[in-house]
Amino acid sequence: MTTIAIFGSYVLTRKDGAQHVLRDHWVLVEGKRIAAITPHKPSADEVFDRPGRFILPGLLNLHNHVFSEAIARSLTEDGNGRRSNKSIVYTVLLPLTKRGAEILSPAERLAVARMGMLQLMKGGATTVMEPFRNTIPEMFDAAEEMGMRFYGAPYLFSTSDARADSHGVVHYAGDDGQSDMNTWNALYQRWNGRGDGRISLAMSPHATDTCGPDLLRAATVRARELGVPITIHMAQSQGELATIAQRYDGRTPAEYLDWLGVLGPDLLAAHCHASTDADLKLMAARRAAVLNCPRVFARAGVTAAFGRFASHGVRTAVGTDGYNMDLLGELNAASLISKIASGNAEVASAPELIEAVTATAAELINRSDLGALVPDATADLTVVDMTHPHLQPLFDPRRALIALANRANIDQVMVDGRLLVHGGRYLHGDEAAIMTAGTAAIEKIWALPEAQAAFAG
């Protein structure tokens, strides 16, 4: 059994159920478990003794989109690609991921998936929940190969061909529910528990407006039979609210899911920024969670404030969605946007936001072994180098982490006791080759006439 000792000038652990920062301690890892946190230098096979490191539990990013993020990168900023529609979901993301998955070979889809996993781990994430089209199963291969803890969430659609026309009106076509459920079950049989238990599945009906009642009920029953989390996009646009109200007797998306029995402690609802205060109170009562991804909406001038969800008692985690995949940068945005939205500097504090991507996120997926640095926990670690000039002088490492740090400060990432990143570099592959192959695959999608038309709008 390999042992690894890492020195932390700061170590985030727990005391009396709350965060507690230790100064000048060692974290000793034996195999896949944390053996000890001690002020004394332990004996170990590998020793990392460098000052200025802040050792945290491995960060959990529970909402992310590798494939669509790559397609949209640097093309949909400044309002580009939106046409008359306020959302790029139905003008760019859904149409082009559908077409892109069709035209790329399995090797090319794998190349894109590897590039995404590389970005995620270099951004500090050890656990990722990734909703994606079920025609890109190579996401599982990349996660297993590269060492990530991965909750794959292949989409289920009642209509997989939702797209906005030239006037921004969304049209819904197709009937894919049973086929998608069959595919999800097959992927569950193949992948759940692979990678020595690192690979799991989540149930992922795409969104309230692309999934009808029958599919949502069936998906929920199946998820609860298996004990897997359910994740969905909810209240992510005003158009979605209007569609659900028109279809279902004036209900909001939250009321729609509650009517179907979906709204519960195992539901992780992404975005929710268009939810009413009454919706958030309902979510809190049902113990459903919000996955807050503030930056992707901020670039469109829309406020998605972590502090608003938390103030209603809703369990709230933070993810990167389809934008940037820098989890520390996302936490910084969650802090600033919440303070601006509320006019209160005290909301969305540094400890609260760190909790959102550690202990709270682990609770949402029922992983008591993750999210905290304590003896016998699973050895997932995120180590941040706090010696950079923009982090010095340093008084409070948690405030500095949220207010000032970013992905460039990620020094080490460990999953299951195995170092994946050291010195900010991926240890088990050629980063340049991964990026070259992934970029070439995405450029094939960009060359499509429909892609050029989408981005011209």
Side-chain angles (χ1 to χ4, degrees):
M1 183 182 296
T2 300
T3 56
I4 300 174
I6 305 176
F7 177 74
S9 293
Y10 313 93
V11 178
L12 185 68
T13 185
R14 310 291 289 186
K15 183 178 181 181
D16 299 327
Q19 292 178 19
H20 181 60
V21 179
L22 296 172
R23 289 296 309 270
D24 300 332
H25 272 62
W26 292 83
V27 176
L28 176 64
V29 173
E30 292 181 353
K32 297 182 179 182
R33 297 284 170 180
I34 296 173
I37 299 172
T38 173
H40 308 293
K41 184 176 182 178
S43 175
D45 300 320
E46 293 184 79
V47 176
F48 297 97
D49 185 1
R50 295 166 299 164
R53 269 57 183 175
F54 188 9
I55 307 178
L56 299 116
L59 305 183
L60 294 88
N61 180 351
L62 298 187
H63 192 74
N64 184 76
H65 300 295
V66 159
F67 199 85
S68 59
E69 197 275 348
I71 291 173
R73 176 167 290 162
S74 75
L75 284 161
T76 52
E77 286 78 11
D78 299 328
N80 199 47
R82 293 178 183 274
R83 295 200 296 272
S84 301
N85 189 34
K86 293 183 178 180
S87 170
I88 62 170
V89 172
Y90 305 106
T91 57
V92 174
L93 302 182
L94 284 181
L96 294 186
T97 56
K98 186 176 190 295
R99 186 72 180 115
E102 293 168 351
I103 69 164
L104 297 185
S105 69
E108 289 168 328
R109 294 194 299 263
L110 179 59
V112 177
R114 285 177 177 141
M115 183 168 65
M117 295 297 160
L118 178 65
Q119 295 168 65
L120 286 163
M121 68 176 70
K122 285 172 68 72
T126 58
T127 295
V128 173
M129 184 175 288
E130 170 85 16
F132 57 93
R133 283 194 179 269
N134 62 21
T135 48
I136 317 171
E138 293 79 14
M139 294 296 305
F140 289 106
D141 296 274
E144 182 182 38
E145 169 193 308
M146 298 182 73
M148 293 290 288
R149 190 174 305 286
F150 186 69
Y151 283 77
Y155 282 141
L156 295 89
F157 290 95
S158 295
T159 171
S160 64
D161 197 18
R163 63 180 67 204
D165 63 20
S166 59
H167 301 291
V169 178
V170 179
H171 300 271
Y172 300 87
D175 184 4
D176 308 282
Q178 188 58 56
S179 174
D180 283 353
M181 182 62 76
N182 293 342
T183 299
W184 191 94
N185 282 324
L187 289 168
Y188 180 86
Q189 291 299 321
R190 179 180 177 187
W191 284 104
N192 197 62
R194 289 274 294 269
D196 293 328
R198 288 184 293 99
I199 309 298
S200 304
L201 270 79
M203 187 65 72
S204 184
H206 170 260
T208 64
D209 61 326
T210 56
C211 295
D214 290 344
L215 177 59
L216 284 167
R217 288 190 182 104
T220 300
V221 167
R222 182 62 173 148
R224 288 172 182 166
E225 284 176 353
L226 298 171
V228 303
I230 306 166
T231 188
I232 191 170
H233 295 89
M234 191 184 93
Q236 62 178 337
S237 70
Q238 293 298 324
E240 177 195 344
L241 267 64
T243 297
I244 297 303
Q246 181 181 23
R247 290 177 184 171
Y248 304 111
D249 300 323
R251 290 182 172 92
T252 66
E255 291 169 338
Y256 171 52
L257 295 183
D258 194 48
W259 172 56
L260 298 173
V262 180
L263 207 65
D266 53 357
L267 183 71
L268 314 182
H271 309 319
C272 303
H273 67 83
S275 297
T276 67
D277 288 350
D279 289 334
L280 297 181
K281 291 176 183 177
L282 176 62
M283 292 184 71
R286 299 288 188 263
R287 299 198 71 243
V290 168
L291 304 178
N292 177 223
C293 308
R295 283 205 290 193
V296 71
F297 292 99
R299 67 176 180 170
V302 174
T303 299
F306 176 96
R308 177 175 177 242
F309 305 125
S311 71
H312 283 85
V314 182
R315 297 185 299 167
T316 307
V318 175
T320 52
D321 194 65
Y323 194 56
N324 202 318
M325 294 186 278
D326 174 1
L327 193 51
L328 295 183
E330 200 75 32
L331 293 171
N332 173 261
S335 171
L336 293 177
I337 290 168
S338 294
K339 296 177 193 318
I340 291 170
S342 65
N344 183 355
E346 297 177 3
V347 303
S349 68
E352 186 178 7
L353 287 167
I354 293 170
E355 196 84 347
V357 294
T358 54
T360 296
E363 177 190 339
L364 296 182
I365 56 173
N366 294 316
R367 290 296 299 262
S368 59
D369 61 318
L370 301 177
L373 291 185
V374 293
D376 204 40
T378 295
D380 286 12
L381 308 178
T382 300
V383 181
V384 184
D385 180 359
M386 307 295 282
T387 65
H388 291 244
H390 64 280
L391 297 171
Q392 293 292 325
L394 179 60
F395 176 74
D396 186 321
R398 289 182 293 178
R399 291 177 185 168
L401 185 80
I402 298 303
L404 302 169
N406 58 56
R407 63 159 34 105
N409 304 119
I410 299 297
D411 183 48
Q412 292 178 311
V413 172
M414 174 184 286
V415 176
D416 262 353
R418 180 185 182 222
L419 274 177
L420 304 181
V421 171
H422 175 63
R425 302 289 296 178
Y426 178 52
L427 294 174
H428 307 289
D430 184 331
E431 290 191 9
I434 289 170
M435 289 185 287
T436 297
T439 297
I442 291 297
E443 287 176 344
K444 289 184 67 172
I445 300 174
W446 286 352
L448 292 169
E450 55 262 53
Q452 295 176 24
F455 294 131

PDB file of all heavy atoms in Angstrom, residues 25 48-49 58 62 103-104 148 170 177 194 207 284-285 329 341 411:
ATOM      1  N   HIS A  25       0.215  21.484   9.205  1.00  0.00           N
ATOM      2  CA  HIS A  25      -0.086  20.079   9.454  1.00  0.00           C
ATOM      3  C   HIS A  25       0.212  19.241   8.209  1.00  0.00           C
ATOM      4  O   HIS A  25       0.321  19.753   7.094  1.00  0.00           O
ATOM      5  CB  HIS A  25      -1.552  19.898   9.852  1.00  0.00           C
ATOM      6  CG  HIS A  25      -1.802  20.038  11.320  1.00  0.00           C
ATOM      7  ND1 HIS A  25      -1.552  21.204  12.011  1.00  0.00           N
ATOM      8  CD2 HIS A  25      -2.283  19.141  12.237  1.00  0.00           C
ATOM      9  CE1 HIS A  25      -1.871  21.034  13.285  1.00  0.00           C
ATOM     10  NE2 HIS A  25      -2.319  19.794  13.451  1.00  0.00           N
ATOM     11  N   PHE A  48       5.734  15.348   0.087  1.00  0.00           N
ATOM     12  CA  PHE A  48       5.662  16.658  -0.562  1.00  0.00           C
ATOM     13  C   PHE A  48       5.692  17.703   0.551  1.00  0.00           C
ATOM     14  O   PHE A  48       4.714  17.902   1.257  1.00  0.00           O
ATOM     15  CB  PHE A  48       4.393  16.778  -1.400  1.00  0.00           C
ATOM     16  CG  PHE A  48       4.334  15.779  -2.533  1.00  0.00           C
ATOM     17  CD1 PHE A  48       3.638  14.587  -2.382  1.00  0.00           C
ATOM     18  CD2 PHE A  48       4.995  16.018  -3.725  1.00  0.00           C
ATOM     19  CE1 PHE A  48       3.583  13.658  -3.407  1.00  0.00           C
ATOM     20  CE2 PHE A  48       4.959  15.092  -4.758  1.00  0.00           C
ATOM     21  CZ  PHE A  48       4.250  13.912  -4.596  1.00  0.00           C
ATOM     22  N   ASP A  49       6.849  18.336   0.678  1.00  0.00           N
ATOM     23  CA  ASP A  49       7.097  19.249   1.793  1.00  0.00           C
ATOM     24  C   ASP A  49       7.395  20.632   1.238  1.00  0.00           C
ATOM     25  O   ASP A  49       8.551  21.031   1.102  1.00  0.00           O
ATOM     26  CB  ASP A  49       8.279  18.728   2.622  1.00  0.00           C
ATOM     27  CG  ASP A  49       8.521  19.569   3.870  1.00  0.00           C
ATOM     28  OD1 ASP A  49       7.772  20.531   4.084  1.00  0.00           O
ATOM     29  OD2 ASP A  49       9.454  19.247   4.626  1.00  0.00           O
ATOM     30  N   GLY A  58     -11.179  17.203  -1.774  1.00  0.00           N
ATOM     31  CA  GLY A  58     -11.365  17.295  -3.216  1.00  0.00           C
ATOM     32  C   GLY A  58     -12.644  18.029  -3.565  1.00  0.00           C
ATOM     33  O   GLY A  58     -13.713  17.736  -3.029  1.00  0.00           O
ATOM     34  N   LEU A  62     -20.702  19.639  -9.512  1.00  0.00           N
ATOM     35  CA  LEU A  62     -21.861  18.794  -9.783  1.00  0.00           C
ATOM     36  C   LEU A  62     -22.709  19.255 -10.966  1.00  0.00           C
ATOM     37  O   LEU A  62     -23.792  18.708 -11.186  1.00  0.00           O
ATOM     38  CB  LEU A  62     -22.737  18.666  -8.530  1.00  0.00           C
ATOM     39  CG  LEU A  62     -22.075  18.000  -7.320  1.00  0.00           C
ATOM     40  CD1 LEU A  62     -23.096  17.781  -6.210  1.00  0.00           C
ATOM     41  CD2 LEU A  62     -21.407  16.679  -7.695  1.00  0.00           C
ATOM     42  N   ILE A 103     -21.530  13.494 -36.401  1.00  0.00           N
ATOM     43  CA  ILE A 103     -20.498  13.540 -37.448  1.00  0.00           C
ATOM     44  C   ILE A 103     -19.122  13.109 -36.954  1.00  0.00           C
ATOM     45  O   ILE A 103     -18.271  12.729 -37.761  1.00  0.00           O
ATOM     46  CB  ILE A 103     -20.393  14.942 -38.087  1.00  0.00           C
ATOM     47  CG1 ILE A 103     -19.823  15.957 -37.091  1.00  0.00           C
ATOM     48  CG2 ILE A 103     -21.734  15.387 -38.651  1.00  0.00           C
ATOM     49  CD1 ILE A 103     -19.333  17.231 -37.740  1.00  0.00           C
ATOM     50  N   LEU A 104     -18.887  13.151 -35.640  1.00  0.00           N
ATOM     51  CA  LEU A 104     -17.567  12.776 -35.122  1.00  0.00           C
ATOM     52  C   LEU A 104     -17.480  11.271 -34.940  1.00  0.00           C
ATOM     53  O   LEU A 104     -18.449  10.609 -34.575  1.00  0.00           O
ATOM     54  CB  LEU A 104     -17.286  13.478 -33.800  1.00  0.00           C
ATOM     55  CG  LEU A 104     -17.204  15.008 -33.811  1.00  0.00           C
ATOM     56  CD1 LEU A 104     -16.788  15.514 -32.435  1.00  0.00           C
ATOM     57  CD2 LEU A 104     -16.243  15.518 -34.884  1.00  0.00           C
ATOM     58  N   MET A 148     -10.687  10.472 -13.063  1.00  0.00           N
ATOM     59  CA  MET A 148     -11.647  11.332 -12.368  1.00  0.00           C
ATOM     60  C   MET A 148     -12.697  10.500 -11.633  1.00  0.00           C
ATOM     61  O   MET A 148     -12.998   9.365 -12.003  1.00  0.00           O
ATOM     62  CB  MET A 148     -12.362  12.242 -13.365  1.00  0.00           C
ATOM     63  CG  MET A 148     -11.475  13.269 -14.017  1.00  0.00           C
ATOM     64  SD  MET A 148     -10.936  14.556 -12.876  1.00  0.00           S
ATOM     65  CE  MET A 148     -12.453  15.480 -12.645  1.00  0.00           C
ATOM     66  N   VAL A 170     -38.957  28.588 -29.939  1.00  0.00           N
ATOM     67  CA  VAL A 170     -38.471  27.217 -29.790  1.00  0.00           C
ATOM     68  C   VAL A 170     -39.539  26.237 -30.279  1.00  0.00           C
ATOM     69  O   VAL A 170     -40.708  26.330 -29.902  1.00  0.00           O
ATOM     70  CB  VAL A 170     -38.104  26.910 -28.325  1.00  0.00           C
ATOM     71  CG1 VAL A 170     -37.617  25.469 -28.185  1.00  0.00           C
ATOM     72  CG2 VAL A 170     -37.026  27.875 -27.841  1.00  0.00           C
ATOM     73  N   GLY A 177     -38.415   9.265 -25.471  1.00  0.00           N
ATOM     74  CA  GLY A 177     -38.345   8.898 -24.066  1.00  0.00           C
ATOM     75  C   GLY A 177     -37.984   7.449 -23.812  1.00  0.00           C
ATOM     76  O   GLY A 177     -37.056   7.163 -23.051  1.00  0.00           O
ATOM     77  N   ARG A 194     -17.574   1.051 -12.406  1.00  0.00           N
ATOM     78  CA  ARG A 194     -16.288   0.849 -13.072  1.00  0.00           C
ATOM     79  C   ARG A 194     -15.233   1.777 -12.469  1.00  0.00           C
ATOM     80  O   ARG A 194     -15.517   2.663 -11.681  1.00  0.00           O
ATOM     81  CB  ARG A 194     -16.431   1.134 -14.568  1.00  0.00           C
ATOM     82  CG  ARG A 194     -17.227   0.100 -15.363  1.00  0.00           C
ATOM     83  CD  ARG A 194     -16.374  -1.058 -15.839  1.00  0.00           C
ATOM     84  NE  ARG A 194     -15.382  -0.628 -16.817  1.00  0.00           N
ATOM     85  CZ  ARG A 194     -15.578  -0.612 -18.142  1.00  0.00           C
ATOM     86  NH1 ARG A 194     -16.752  -0.999 -18.643  1.00  0.00           N
ATOM     87  NH2 ARG A 194     -14.612  -0.228 -18.958  1.00  0.00           N
ATOM     88  N   ALA A 207     -34.575  18.638 -19.224  1.00  0.00           N
ATOM     89  CA  ALA A 207     -35.147  19.885 -18.708  1.00  0.00           C
ATOM     90  C   ALA A 207     -36.655  19.737 -18.604  1.00  0.00           C
ATOM     91  O   ALA A 207     -37.256  18.833 -19.193  1.00  0.00           O
ATOM     92  CB  ALA A 207     -34.792  21.064 -19.624  1.00  0.00           C
ATOM     93  N   ALA A 284     -37.080  24.127  -0.821  1.00  0.00           N
ATOM     94  CA  ALA A 284     -36.511  23.957   0.518  1.00  0.00           C
ATOM     95  C   ALA A 284     -37.344  22.965   1.332  1.00  0.00           C
ATOM     96  O   ALA A 284     -36.789  22.108   2.041  1.00  0.00           O
ATOM     97  CB  ALA A 284     -36.421  25.296   1.230  1.00  0.00           C
ATOM     98  N   ALA A 285     -38.660  23.073   1.222  1.00  0.00           N
ATOM     99  CA  ALA A 285     -39.528  22.160   1.968  1.00  0.00           C
ATOM    100  C   ALA A 285     -39.350  20.717   1.520  1.00  0.00           C
ATOM    101  O   ALA A 285     -39.431  19.784   2.331  1.00  0.00           O
ATOM    102  CB  ALA A 285     -40.983  22.586   1.796  1.00  0.00           C
ATOM    103  N   GLY A 329     -12.734  30.086  -9.998  1.00  0.00           N
ATOM    104  CA  GLY A 329     -13.274  31.289 -10.623  1.00  0.00           C
ATOM    105  C   GLY A 329     -14.785  31.367 -10.486  1.00  0.00           C
ATOM    106  O   GLY A 329     -15.350  32.450 -10.302  1.00  0.00           O
ATOM    107  N   ALA A 341     -26.193  41.440  -6.106  1.00  0.00           N
ATOM    108  CA  ALA A 341     -27.642  41.234  -6.206  1.00  0.00           C
ATOM    109  C   ALA A 341     -28.368  41.611  -4.917  1.00  0.00           C
ATOM    110  O   ALA A 341     -29.479  42.144  -4.954  1.00  0.00           O
ATOM    111  CB  ALA A 341     -27.931  39.774  -6.564  1.00  0.00           C
ATOM    112  N   ASP A 411      -2.326  23.302  -7.493  1.00  0.00           N
ATOM    113  CA  ASP A 411      -1.001  22.673  -7.472  1.00  0.00           C
ATOM    114  C   ASP A 411      -1.104  21.156  -7.610  1.00  0.00           C
ATOM    115  O   ASP A 411      -0.407  20.557  -8.423  1.00  0.00           O
ATOM    116  CB  ASP A 411      -0.286  23.037  -6.167  1.00  0.00           C
ATOM    117  CG  ASP A 411       1.120  22.487  -6.092  1.00  0.00           C
ATOM    118  OD1 ASP A 411       1.876  22.647  -7.073  1.00  0.00           O
ATOM    119  OD2 ASP A 411       1.469  21.877  -5.057  1.00  0.00           O
TER     120      ASP A 411
END
